[in-house]
Amino acid sequence: SQFRQVPRDAAMDDAHALVPQGGETCSHANGLCSKTYTRHGVFGVTLWVDTCCNQAEVLEVMCQDLSALEVAAPASAWQRILASPVAVWVNETFTYRGAEGEAVEGRGSCLHVSPEWLRGHGNMPEKANSVEIYCWEHYKTWDLGGG
């Protein structure tokens, strides 16, 4: 495989393997930025990764983070996550329209719930019910532990 396999606990089954999705892509432009995403599967979660990102790096980090989440979350919660249609959208950077039509450089990440809000702000309504990482560098480097 072109991707490094993360060491797995013997209890994990093959459904948790890193699964490239055959290069399926989708594109979006909003007048402020233009994106093409490549689809991947990691630990049962769909990832749409900006083609400007280092794909191997994103997959390695997300594999580690989703593995940690699977271990930390109660089994019933993890199963609900996997049963939902949620996806994670990863951007090198992302600019969207603010409330007054101004350009807003996305920071951090968020959960999108409203296709109408997404459409109104120049984003893809298909991202509703998904997590979006606006800036990959922020995701990799922000210390969420307060240390």
Side-chain angles (χ1 to χ4, degrees), residues 43-113:
F43 284 81
V45 174
T46 298
L47 298 179
W48 289 96
V49 181
D50 182 346
T51 56
C52 292
C53 291
N54 177 324
Q55 302 286 302
E57 176 189 60
V58 170
L59 294 173
E60 180 178 335
V61 171
M62 294 304 292
C63 218
Q64 292 167 0
D65 289 358
L66 289 168
S67 176
L69 178 61
E70 180 185 34
V71 170
S76 61
W78 183 247
Q79 289 307 310
R80 287 190 70 184
I81 291 169
L82 294 180
S84 73
V86 73
V88 178
W89 297 78
V90 179
N91 297 283
E92 179 182 52
T93 62
F94 191 86
T95 304
Y96 59 92
R97 285 192 300 275
E100 304 299 320
E102 74 281 12
V104 176
E105 187 69 28
R107 299 181 71 229
S109 60
C110 68
L111 172 65
H112 292 300
V113 294

